Amino acid sequence: MYSFKCDYGEGAHPRILRALQRTNLEQTEGYLLDPYTQKASGLIKERIGRQEVDIHLLMGGTQTNLVALSAFLRPHQAVICADSGHIFVHETGAIEATGHKVFALPSPDGKLTPAQVKQAVELHTDEHMVKPKVVFLSNPTEVGTIYTKKELAAMRGVCDEYGLFLYIDGARLGCALTCRENDMTLRDFAAFPDAFYIGGTKNGAFMGEALVIANDRLKEDFRYLMKQKGALMAKGRFLGIQFCELFSDDLYFSLARHANDTAAVIRSALKENGYSLMTDSPTNQLFPIFPKEVLTRLEDKYLFTPWKELSDGRAAVRIVTSWATPMEQVQKFAQDLEKANKK
Amino acid sequence: MYSFKCDYGEGAHPRILRALQRTNLEQTEGYLLDPYTQKASGLIKERIGRQEVDIHLLMGGTQTNLVALSAFLRPHQAVICADSGHIFVHETGAIEATGHKVFALPSPDGKLTPAQVKQAVELHTDEHMVKPKVVFLSNPTEVGTIYTKKELAAMRGVCDEYGLFLYIDGARLGCALTCRENDMTLRDFAAFPDAFYIGGTKNGAFMGEALVIANDRLKEDFRYLMKQKGALMAKGRFLGIQFCELFSDDLYFSLARHANDTAAVIRSALKENGYSLMTDSPTNQLFPIFPKEVLTRLEDKYLFTPWKELSDGRAAVRIVTSWATPMEQVQKFAQDLEKANKK
Amino acid sequence: MYSFKCDYGEGAHPRILRALQRTNLEQTEGYLLDPYTQKASGLIKERIGRQEVDIHLLMGGTQTNLVALSAFLRPHQAVICADSGHIFVHETGAIEATGHKVFALPSPDGKLTPAQVKQAVELHTDEHMVKPKVVFLSNPTEVGTIYTKKELAAMRGVCDEYGLFLYIDGARLGCALTCRENDMTLRDFAAFPDAFYIGGTKNGAFMGEALVIANDRLKEDFRYLMKQKGALMAKGRFLGIQFCELFSDDLYFSLARHANDTAAVIRSALKENGYSLMTDSPTNQLFPIFPKEVLTRLEDKYLFTPWKELSDGRAAVRIVTSWATPMEQVQKFAQDLEKANKK
Amino acid sequence: MYSFKCDYGEGAHPRILRALQRTNLEQTEGYLLDPYTQKASGLIKERIGRQEVDIHLLMGGTQTNLVALSAFLRPHQAVICADSGHIFVHETGAIEATGHKVFALPSPDGKLTPAQVKQAVELHTDEHMVKPKVVFLSNPTEVGTIYTKKELAAMRGVCDEYGLFLYIDGARLGCALTCRENDMTLRDFAAFPDAFYIGGTKNGAFMGEALVIANDRLKEDFRYLMKQKGALMAKGRFLGIQFCELFSDDLYFSLARHANDTAAVIRSALKENGYSLMTDSPTNQLFPIFPKEVLTRLEDKYLFTPWKELSDGRAAVRIVTSWATPMEQVQKFAQDLEKANKK
């Protein structure tokens, strides 16, 4: 049985394990004041090409989103996101629990447009309504799609026009920036948002997200907010060491590229065998639609995440590859798919 | 330079690293639904001697406290603790940030008495005041002291009398339960609180706290609260594997015993050289008072946490040992102390 | 210039003013423990026909909603409402500010159906999502429509099936229960919700809403929550005296009936002159659609609340009548409408 | 039976009732956008001598405190107050419910000193602790004492030095500014705090507090916060009309002066009969200490608020006078006191 359910099913990349072992008995300061965390921060700044940003390492995506957004907003201010947005659907009301409304806009492809944002802001006219202040995007989105450089520039424009902050959830940012359709480097990308995070958990780390705060107005006292929300790791070096490994060379991106490459093999196989997909995802998450009998055959050997039951009896599932997915495994899946199709 | 600043300055016990390596490429379910987390839970239940408790693995102490207390309380209910209590002093208002008042009582030795709790409850007479509902203890306390079995039984009594929940922060629970003055097993201890946590971060794990919920009324939907507060780890097995190692035999307790033993060497040396201590701590945190010149000499070779400037010019520092402190190191410190004393 | 903008544009019914004067220099207990508040509570219980409910007098609708809902919910629980729901649109995120997600469902007529509620609950499958726990209705809705007895019975059914609380915002409850299409008495109505409020502000009081809590599980310590949210009025008798007046005879209902009757005159005039309405409201809020030139003419003499610009150039406005709207005024409006139409 | 329990036991000053009657059927805008509220704001600004402040009318003291403080603070920031502070003791954790810690300092006379504030700020050294940001005072304090001009100037100084906001709860501000020991006009007083409120509820209004925001940094979007907390009154004119009456001439101050004058009669009688007081209050709250048998005799005719049982068997009570206390009543009390004393 092989699982395509998620990209957090294995441990960490072997280089990370080796680095943990190598440094294990060194004594360092706690709470992310150690030299590894500092070094990781420097490596990321270098890669982004901006020394003046603040970098904070946190333990997970929901945690990063809730610490950041609640730090950035006054009590009456709200977040705008797509209706598939992770903060709207899959974080158990974490943002609302910090006091802020999340205002969701319909989006079949998981992306927001500047026109939608503009309309949402203009809808909120007075003090009887919340005041939208942050635009929340994910890149890639929850359904695997990505933003182009032009799209992000346009979103930045509308944010500037309306005095909004732009925040981007990069839980799978590596996959966005290394897929074939992408037209940005991390440096290009980092020019747009006021803050974003570079996901480690889903790209080879045991855990860890590197939050980048670019806008000076959002930097003050951020470590207080981390501590208050239980997000300031005592043995913070554990995060620092992992990001040092990921960013000391191209590891972060090569792991993501591998996830995309293995997904590409599956995508080709799906298309060759005539299956359509729910979304046009160029990254490591695919949402194929199968007839029930095909799905049943595949489920003898593979685990998927159920996604949606269609009215015609077919079912969509989510297939996810990762840095840890062996190329042989996806090639085997391609063969099994062909067989399942023929029966 | 050797640091006695804290018990989270090194990585993890080598057995934990080996276990992580051994399991690294296995595929498991996310979000603490993996077999390792389940096994860890079983091992802890067995050690406690009660199958009906709920066990949840979280990532840090502040996180565990805030998720648990906010889950257990209605909005107008408050927590009672000692004025040195971690939640009152050192968690950046984490509990208040979830909406609840923390009512602190004076306590030179870090411990609360049933009489204090009783008085605090009776002080809150009507709906113009908060309603105390949880008694928060730490064992050992912030200043290293411990509760006896009889003291906990008495506290349980007052809690029952006033309809209060008893919650115990066990960030260093191992040290409490393995020190010479202790008169309880984990099983004995677990009979008193409605909920408590067994700290991993400060006792050999990279991170991780095992929350034990004994009272049925506090169990419902707890995973929702964890997720909402960013505390449901995606690669939860990382916590599970560590607690499996710590509790598959006596490792958890032997690590704590070692921390106490190394502290005992320092404590003896302090007493032999005539230094007094701020508190009578039988565990791995010591608070000696040094004349400035002695302190200066020691600080050539050792790092301490500054604790308090006394009015007579002397200074108290905190010295902490841990599972990772070499016995030779504390013996060397004992010699250096003697030398520093003589100069 | 006459304003049809809202039903809170004047002071209070003269009988209320007289009662305030009559009682002005009596000394009474504060914080709603006075005999008037007690009497008002008794009068309402009698009218509802149930002695065992709890009655609390609060100062406004948003306040009542936020105190009640935050009292009823655990942190991860959410409220379901129509997308026109006052808590979703017009309370500046008051419910989210207490930590709870408001999940809105599309509803052109302002009403929720049991099928929608069922679907919303079933959509929330696990701990990565909030847990819907309260169904929030308004009667009449934000667009003037009302629920029938059968509809509320069905909603009660689905709430029981899924373990949900049913809460009804009755800011204009008088108008719902006295309009021609209504098929319930207050007593009938009160059998369905777990809690609801009887609005005073929009029906003849200076301010005041009477919250009725029927479900025993929601009663505990409610006054604590009121105080904590700044909703326990010091001179609470000011609310008590007003509700005594409104409920010592039929005043509450006759004021609402008058609001409906004056609206009915306008509704007839609108229909006779061929104007359509956005919603089929039988109560005191009407949403007519006017050609711009007609609207401009009417606005020489009348104030309306702008509602919606239609794509064909016409505009919808909100017209509201109240207990204080003179019958002659609406007759005059009917004439002016006819003139405006003819030009 | 006459009650000295509080200063909110009667209705409103007759002039207020007349003004409500006079304006009752006028149509005005809702939500404090009416001409009366605007006029009241102008009258207060004039009295303060500063046009650039913002004035907001709210419904009660706890509400005003919680809306203001939660508007002024970021999540990790805290409030410093005396341990008798209303927000610390008597608002059911209202400030904590908005997420902020209230840090209380010991104060037998209800007042804070700059030295205490300085020490409290310096105690909070890093991100593991909250960051004190607002100093909360009451004038008069909870025990009736008042601040001098020099004391407030010194407090302003320490606030400037440490970047703190100074907020003053003026629930009984009239009594502070009209008592014999006072050395400030409202204009003098208003020069010190960043924000403060002028209490109406306890000085002749049915309810209402006028919040004055002097610091520009605290003004933005304040009406949003009011609405979000249920504090934006629909028939806001009800507050406006009352403050118009109170500030159209000297009424506000003459009512407070009367409260002080009637208290002074009682104070003299207490002293003449040899009773000591808990605090040296020059305002309308007195805290005399009585032997039990004297208290029992007085309680045949008078109601007091129990304050404290002393260890010697005597008891302190709170006696409060108000704008509505007849001078004859306090003279009669003086006689009754003499009689009770003699028996």
Side-chain angles (χ1 to χ4, degrees), chain A residues 75-76 87-103 124 126-131, chain C residues 75-76 87-103 124 126-131:
Chain A
H76 63 298
I87 55 168
F88 188 69
V89 181
H90 279 113
E91 301 189 354
T92 321
I95 306 306
E96 290 89 349
T98 68
H100 303 282
K101 181 168 180 162
V102 178
F103 191 73
H124 291 82
D126 63 38
E127 66 265 23
H128 294 258
M129 303 179 212
V130 294
K131 202 170 195 175
Chain C
H76 63 298
I87 53 168
F88 188 69
V89 181
H90 278 113
E91 301 189 355
T92 320
I95 305 308
E96 289 90 349
T98 68
H100 302 281
K101 180 166 182 164
V102 178
F103 191 74
H124 291 82
D126 64 37
E127 66 264 23
H128 294 258
M129 305 179 212
V130 294
K131 201 169 196 175

Side-chain angles (χ1 to χ4, degrees), chain C residues 86-304:
Chain C
H86 206 257
I87 53 168
F88 188 69
V89 181
H90 278 113
E91 301 189 355
T92 320
I95 305 308
E96 289 90 349
T98 68
H100 302 281
K101 180 166 182 164
V102 178
F103 191 74
L105 302 170
S107 168
D109 68 352
K111 293 163 69 175
L112 283 188
T113 65
Q116 281 182 299
V117 168
K118 186 178 147 85
Q119 198 177 9
V121 173
E122 291 180 349
L123 202 65
H124 291 82
T125 51
D126 64 37
E127 66 264 23
H128 294 258
M129 305 179 212
V130 294
K131 201 169 196 175
K133 188 65 186 175
V134 166
V135 173
F136 174 97
L137 308 181
S138 304
N139 194 34
T141 68
E142 292 302 310
V143 294
T145 52
I146 63 166
Y147 286 88
T148 63
K149 195 170 172 178
K150 199 174 153 189
E151 286 170 340
L152 286 189
M155 192 60 87
R156 177 74 265 167
V158 81
C159 287
D160 288 342
E161 190 182 342
Y162 288 94
L164 306 173
F165 297 123
L166 180 59
Y167 174 88
I168 306 183
D169 180 324
R172 296 183 173 95
L173 186 59
C175 286
L177 298 183
T178 58
C179 76
R180 206 169 294 180
E181 284 75 357
N182 170 62
D183 61 358
M184 286 178 283
T185 62
L186 177 57
R187 186 179 293 221
D188 297 334
F189 170 82
F192 301 117
D194 295 285
F196 68 98
Y197 80 82
I198 301 171
T201 303
K202 289 166 179 161
N203 198 33
F206 279 116
M207 68 168 178
E209 326 295 322
L211 178 69
V212 179
I213 307 183
N215 186 329
D216 284 344
R217 290 170 55 197
L218 303 180
K219 291 174 179 172
E220 193 179 352
D221 287 346
F222 196 81
R223 282 171 57 86
Y224 283 81
L225 282 311
M226 289 174 66
K227 178 63 188 171
Q228 185 184 67
K229 301 295 190 276
L232 197 69
M233 197 182 176
K235 293 187 181 171
R237 76 203 228 155
F238 179 72
L239 298 170
I241 290 164
Q242 295 185 82
F243 274 94
C244 278
E245 253 352 89
L246 292 170
F247 281 89
S248 63
D249 54 15
D250 200 49
L251 184 60
Y252 184 79
F253 298 97
S254 70
L255 294 182
R257 208 172 286 119
H258 177 83
N260 286 338
D261 289 348
T262 44
V265 172
I266 295 179
R267 194 185 305 107
S268 296
L270 288 165
K271 293 194 172 164
E272 280 165 24
N273 287 283
Y275 296 112
S276 54
L277 294 108
M278 294 289 289
T279 67
D280 192 20
S281 161
T283 57
N284 71 322
Q285 297 187 90
L286 304 173
F287 301 85
I289 301 166
F290 292 123
K292 281 284 170 64
E293 63 278 11
V294 173
L295 187 55
T296 305
R297 275 173 229 143
L298 290 170
E299 287 177 339
D300 279 351
K301 295 188 173 175
Y302 300 98
L303 295 171
F304 313 113

Side-chain angles (χ1 to χ4, degrees), chain B residues 75-76 87-93 96-103 126-130, chain D residues 75-76 87-93 96-103 126-130:
Chain B
H76 62 297
I87 55 168
F88 187 68
V89 181
H90 278 113
E91 301 189 355
T92 320
E96 290 89 348
T98 68
H100 303 282
K101 181 167 180 162
V102 178
F103 191 73
D126 63 38
E127 65 265 22
H128 294 258
M129 304 179 211
V130 294
Chain D
H76 62 299
I87 54 168
F88 188 69
V89 181
H90 278 113
E91 302 189 355
T92 321
E96 289 90 348
T98 68
H100 302 283
K101 180 166 181 164
V102 178
F103 190 74
D126 64 37
E127 67 264 22
H128 293 258
M129 303 180 212
V130 294

Side-chain angles (χ1 to χ4, degrees), chain C residues 2 6-18 20 199-209 238 242 246 251 255 322-325, chain D residues 16-30 34 36 206 233-242:
Chain C
Y2 189 81
C6 68
D7 35 14
Y8 43 83
E10 289 90 358
H13 189 269
R15 269 178 53 187
I16 282 178
L17 262 169
R18 285 199 294 275
L20 290 173
T201 303
K202 289 166 179 161
N203 198 33
F206 279 116
M207 68 168 178
E209 326 295 322
F238 179 72
Q242 295 185 82
L246 292 170
L251 184 60
L255 294 182
S322 82
W323 65 275
T325 309
Chain D
I16 281 178
L17 262 170
R18 285 199 294 275
L20 290 174
Q21 204 140 23
R22 203 164 55 231
T23 57
N24 195 42
L25 291 181
E26 291 174 19
Q27 285 191 311
T28 57
E29 283 288 299
D34 66 279
Y36 294 104
F206 278 117
M233 196 184 176
K235 292 186 182 171
R237 78 204 226 155
F238 179 72
L239 298 170
I241 290 164
Q242 294 185 83

Side-chain angles (χ1 to χ4, degrees), chain D residues 184-204:
Chain D
M184 286 178 283
T185 62
L186 177 56
R187 185 179 294 221
D188 297 334
F189 170 82
F192 300 117
D194 295 285
F196 68 98
Y197 80 83
I198 302 170
T201 303
K202 289 167 179 161
N203 198 33

Side-chain angles (χ1 to χ4, degrees), chain D residues 98-118:
Chain D
T98 68
H100 302 283
K101 180 166 181 164
V102 178
F103 190 74
L105 302 170
S107 169
D109 69 352
K111 292 163 69 175
L112 283 188
T113 65
Q116 281 182 299
V117 168
K118 187 177 146 84

Side-chain angles (χ1 to χ4, degrees), chain D residues 173-175 178 203 251-261 323:
Chain D
L173 186 59
C175 286
T178 59
N203 198 33
L251 185 59
Y252 185 79
F253 298 97
S254 70
L255 294 182
R257 208 172 286 121
H258 177 84
N260 286 337
D261 289 349
W323 66 275

